[in-house]
Amino acid sequence: MRRPLEAFIALLVAWRIPLLALALLLTAAGIYPALNVSFDRSLENMFPAEDPLLPPYRAVKRTFGGNEVVLAVYRDAELLAPNGGGMQRLAAVREELLAVPGVNDVLSLDRPLGPEVIIDTESELGARYRELFQGYTHSAAGDTAALVCMLLPADVSPVPQQETIDGIRRIVQELPGGMITGEPVMIHDGFRFVEEDGRRLGWATSLLLGLVILLCFRSLRWVIVPLAVVHMSLIWTRAAFQLAGLQLSLVSSMLTAIVTVIGAATVIHIIVHYREARAEGIAHEEALRRVGILLAAPIAWACLTDAVGFASLGASEVEPVRDFGWMMAAGALSVLLAVVLAVPGLVLLGRFDRDPRAVWGGEFLNRLLAGSLALVLRRPRTLVLLFLAGSLFVAAGLRWLVIESDFTRNFRKGSSLVLAYDFVEGELGGAGVLAVVLPAPETLDWPYLSAVLRLEERLRKEVRLPPGADAEAEPEEALSKVISLADAVKAGSPLDLNTAPAFLRRPAVAVALETMRQRMPKFCEALHAQDPVSGEYRYRVMIRAPERVEAERKRAMVEQIVAIVAEFKAPPDAAPPEVTGTYLLLAHLIESLLRDQWVSFSLAAAGIWLMLLIAFRSPLLASLAMIPNVLPILMVLGGIGWLYALGLGVRMNMGAVMIAAVSLGLSVD
């Protein structure tokens, strides 16, 4: 009587054609949902729900009607020309941008006073406004125009935000030197590049995998088998995700790579053992049955252990990491299902090219590996001690891991996004946008606005970027622009509001505010509004800060801003002043992911150890098997730390943060 495993393998071989037809049917049914799985583009979801950065960010969005701005920039040497040609072109561009669906309002240099006053070289009022908005709506040299496009919140926009950004980009790219920047652009381009790179990675890995297997085994059939397993698994995984209502994210970009590793490694085991059986003269069906009996348990345990390890990421507090864990668990189980359903039929279907051939240079490789094994057997303790000592030395570099807070460094240096940020920071100053949110009265008056102006002045003068790599360099001014309604009131008033009598000052402030509200109502609403939840009025100060600086310097700058803002005197029962914005979230994104990944990795390691314990029924063997799973991860991350310590400037970025998850997929097998 056959054992259950032998009977199961015999059944798979006997029913190979119906099983292969079932696999193809499932694949065909999964193509449409797999192609339509949605992509989660929310930056907020990249943080744990209780992260202290989120409440003020959400409060700003709900109070001021969204918190996202796209900066459209182009060159015009005659922007401020007295003939008004530059202002006419600026107004025309502004009208085009206002017509883009999803754009709420556009601030440009000609809006507050009108073009005639702005270009009037004899007008003191025009001179004050040019100085006020310098670095915000135009460059100091007057040859670069910048239009601040305020986007509608995603929940009220008539189109997805990506369409709005693409619409702005199409208009601006037609202008001389036209480009766009801003955190929404960075985020959406980042997600778009991840999607494009994911598709490119899928084709590239398929081609390279096929080429390597063809060179090694010189068989077209055995190129098709692993590629079919990998792509069936990917289609089933993505389809399951879409049907479950889950979404892809930045983290999910590793799906193709990890499923390829699991699927290809599994099939290569089958290739090697099948070739050995055929070399002994065993018939095709019997050879496959023997291979199945030999490898069924190792393949099943490897895929199940992968699935449990990745499913452990489901305990993560970061939603995309949690979804990534479930996706990869589904991917590992899909590989196992694809091997069961498709491999017997693909191996035995027809007579063409059924036998994989010997690897070129295989004899030399065998001798090399045999020599390595002999060395290990002769000196096991010495080699283990040397390996552990070297691993721990490299892992010690973890202490020098530095987070990359410049999100633009996640893109290629020559990409349009990086070039745009370089240009904007060179011409207009910092391209990063922060918001200082203050408690405010319902009606703004001069005592309140003058207190805001004093706060702004402190921010301009006291916030400094600490020295960078050159320790002898002096701290430099950090903020390229600090601006709010108070500045517009001060610049637009014909009186010196600090010294004017109260009976003149009050109407002067009221007139200046009313003028701004008439000319730019939506812009004013984005600077002073009522929180719909608390009912309190809030006031926003906009800050432009450098984006492309090191994490330590950026963190020091933000800490100075927070400390100064905290000293703003607010009523005892009012909400405290806060500093927020996408700039702040992006600066802490990698740090948040890394912090959560260590917790998730620990859970995944515990899950894998438990599966190894069940498989080997020995705590000692399970613990020993964890060494090749854990040490490579610590060594790679420690190596990144050493590279930074040696002055090579390598930092922890989005890709490096995911090394732990990818390494698990590589080493469990």
Side-chain angles (χ1 to χ4, degrees):
M1 183 176 178
R2 287 181 174 179
R3 291 182 299 171
L5 178 59
E6 293 177 356
F8 177 69
I9 298 300
L11 183 66
L12 293 182
V13 174
W15 287 76
R16 59 186 179 273
I17 300 303
L19 291 175
L20 178 59
L22 176 60
L24 295 175
L25 182 63
L26 290 175
T27 303
I31 289 176
Y32 180 78
L35 292 175
N36 288 277
V37 61
S38 58
F39 213 90
D40 180 8
R41 298 174 180 271
S42 170
L43 179 62
E44 297 174 56
N45 287 339
M46 301 296 286
F47 292 82
E50 71 280 1
D51 194 296
L53 293 175
L54 292 182
Y57 178 75
R58 289 168 176 159
V60 167
K61 292 182 70 172
R62 69 171 180 259
T63 302
F64 299 108
N67 189 32
E68 297 183 302
V69 167
V70 172
L71 193 65
V73 182
Y74 69 94
R75 286 194 175 277
D76 188 345
E78 297 184 350
L79 177 65
L80 300 176
N83 62 15
M87 285 292 110
Q88 291 177 5
R89 287 188 289 273
L90 179 67
V93 173
R94 172 168 47 78
E95 291 302 317
E96 284 190 76
L97 294 175
L98 278 169
V100 174
V103 173
N104 190 27
D105 200 5
V106 178
L107 171 64
S108 57
L109 181 58
D110 63 314
R111 287 289 297 279
L113 297 177
E116 298 82 6
V117 179
I118 287 295
I119 61 176
D120 185 357
T121 56
E122 303 296 325
S123 170
E124 293 185 7
L125 182 60
R128 289 200 298 270
Y129 266 82
R130 287 196 300 272
E131 182 181 0
L132 171 63
F133 289 104
Q134 179 180 304
Y136 205 81
T137 60
H138 62 290
S139 63
D143 58 357
T144 300
L147 298 97
V148 183
C149 304
M150 300 166 56
L151 308 186
L152 284 168
D155 57 343
V156 299
S157 176
V159 298
Q161 196 175 77
Q162 183 62 57
E163 290 187 24
T164 302
I165 293 172
D166 289 341
I168 295 172
R169 181 181 277 116
R170 282 192 294 270
I171 293 171
V172 177
Q173 283 179 340
E174 299 297 321
L175 303 171
M179 55 190 68
I180 63 174
T181 63
E183 278 77 11
V185 179
M186 193 186 306
I187 293 169
H188 284 275
D189 280 2
F191 281 100
R192 179 167 58 85
F193 291 153
V194 166
E195 288 185 87
E196 293 174 356
D197 288 349
R199 290 191 291 269
R200 191 179 298 114
L201 180 63
W203 288 108
T205 52
S206 297
L207 291 173
L208 290 174
L209 176 63
L211 179 61
V212 169
I213 294 176
L214 184 62
L215 291 174
C216 287
F217 300 105
R218 293 180 288 167
S219 168
L220 288 176
R221 179 188 293 263
W222 288 98
V223 170
I224 294 172
V225 174
L227 289 178
V229 168
V230 168
H231 285 280
M232 283 180 178
S233 303
L234 287 171
I235 290 172
W236 297 347
T237 302
R238 292 173 64 97
F241 232 57
Q242 201 276 339
L243 295 174
L246 301 176
Q247 294 179 303
L248 300 176
S249 68
L250 279 176
V251 184
S252 307
S253 61
M254 299 293 179
L255 172 67
T256 300
I258 300 178
V259 170
T260 299
V261 167
I262 299 172
T266 300
V267 175
I268 286 174
H269 287 309
I270 297 174
I271 295 175
V272 171
H273 288 281
Y274 182 79
R275 185 183 62 191
E276 292 174 351
R278 289 289 297 142
E280 296 176 7
I282 301 173
H284 291 289
E285 288 191 20
E286 179 61 25
L288 188 59
R289 279 194 290 268
R290 289 195 181 187
V291 171
I293 293 170
L294 177 67
L295 295 180
I299 288 175
W301 278 115
C303 292
L304 290 172
T305 304
D306 262 331
V308 170
F310 285 118
S312 300
L313 300 178
S316 169
E317 296 180 349
V318 178
E319 185 173 334
V321 174
R322 187 164 59 245
D323 290 349
F324 171 74
W326 295 122
M327 171 174 275
M328 288 316 312
L333 295 176
S334 295
V335 168
L336 181 59
L337 182 61
V339 169
V340 169
L341 296 181
V343 168
L346 291 173
V347 172
L348 298 177
L349 182 66
R351 297 181 177 275
F352 172 73
D353 200 19
R354 287 198 286 186
D355 292 329
R357 296 165 181 81
V359 179
W360 283 314
E363 293 183 4
F364 170 76
L365 180 60
N366 287 337
R367 289 196 301 271
L368 182 63
L369 293 174
S372 302
L373 179 59
L375 176 62
V376 171
L377 293 175
R378 284 198 306 270
R379 305 289 185 190
R381 292 182 178 85
T382 302
L383 291 175
V384 166
L385 289 174
L386 288 174
F387 170 70
L388 289 176
S391 301
L392 293 175
F393 174 77
V394 176
L398 288 168
R399 73 179 70 178
W400 290 294
L401 278 180
V402 174
I403 304 299
E404 179 57 79
S405 65
D406 179 1
F407 200 75
T408 64
R409 296 185 189 273
N410 291 290
F411 305 92
R412 287 189 297 270
K413 290 184 178 180
S415 68
S416 59
L417 182 72
V418 174
L419 294 176
Y421 267 83
D422 285 339
F423 176 78
V424 169
E425 297 219 331
E427 293 292 321
L428 301 173
V433 179
L434 292 96
V436 172
V437 183
L438 307 171
E442 180 178 356
T443 302
L444 298 177
D445 53 23
W446 182 244
Y448 179 83
L449 295 177
S450 61
V452 171
L453 289 172
R454 289 193 294 272
L455 172 65
E456 292 180 10
E457 191 63 19
R458 285 194 63 193
L459 291 171
R460 295 186 189 102
K461 291 184 176 180
E462 298 179 23
V463 177
R464 317 288 286 182
L465 271 179
D470 183 1
E472 298 181 358
E474 291 293 328
E476 56 184 287
E477 291 186 5
L479 308 181
S480 56
K481 203 68 184 175
V482 181
I483 191 171
S484 73
L485 278 175
D487 299 279
V489 169
K490 181 181 177 182
S493 173
L495 304 174
D496 183 347
L497 295 174
N498 287 312
T499 59
F503 73 92
L504 293 177
R505 189 167 53 202
R506 189 177 297 109
V509 170
V511 168
L513 287 172
E514 185 59 28
T515 301
M516 288 288 292
R517 290 191 180 101
Q518 288 180 358
R519 299 192 68 90
M520 297 184 296
K522 294 177 182 178
F523 184 74
C524 290
E525 290 171 5
L527 297 178
H528 179 232
Q530 186 179 26
D531 186 334
V533 173
S534 67
E536 296 180 347
Y537 278 83
R538 310 286 275 169
Y539 182 96
R540 181 160 67 166
V541 178
M542 296 183 296
I543 295 178
R544 289 268 299 280
E547 176 65 49
R548 311 209 66 195
V549 295
E550 300 88 344
E552 306 85 6
R553 305 177 73 201
K554 185 177 289 187
R555 187 177 294 109
M557 177 193 68
V558 171
E559 288 174 354
Q560 294 174 60
I561 295 173
V562 170
I564 293 172
V565 170
E567 297 178 13
F568 183 82
K569 293 182 179 180
D573 56 343
E578 293 173 316
V579 180
T580 186
T582 310
Y583 178 90
L584 210 58
L585 295 187
L586 287 174
H588 289 82
L589 175 60
I590 311 299
E591 186 176 345
S592 171
L593 285 177
L594 181 62
R595 183 175 58 249
D596 190 80
Q597 280 291 90
W598 281 120
V599 176
S600 303
F601 171 67
S602 300
L603 293 173
I608 289 173
W609 184 86
L610 181 61
M611 290 295 292
L612 293 171
L613 176 63
I614 297 172
F616 296 135
R617 289 174 288 179
S618 167
L620 177 61
L621 286 179
S623 300
L624 290 175
M626 287 302 297
I627 294 176
N629 283 276
V630 174
L631 274 183
I633 298 169
L634 298 179
M635 290 174 66
V636 172
L637 296 178
I640 294 175
W642 277 111
L643 291 174
Y644 179 80
L646 293 173
L648 299 180
V650 180
R651 300 165 182 265
M652 283 293 292
N653 59 16
M654 286 288 291
V657 164
M658 297 308 301
I659 283 176
V662 177
S663 299
L664 285 175
L666 284 167
S667 59
V668 160
D669 183 65

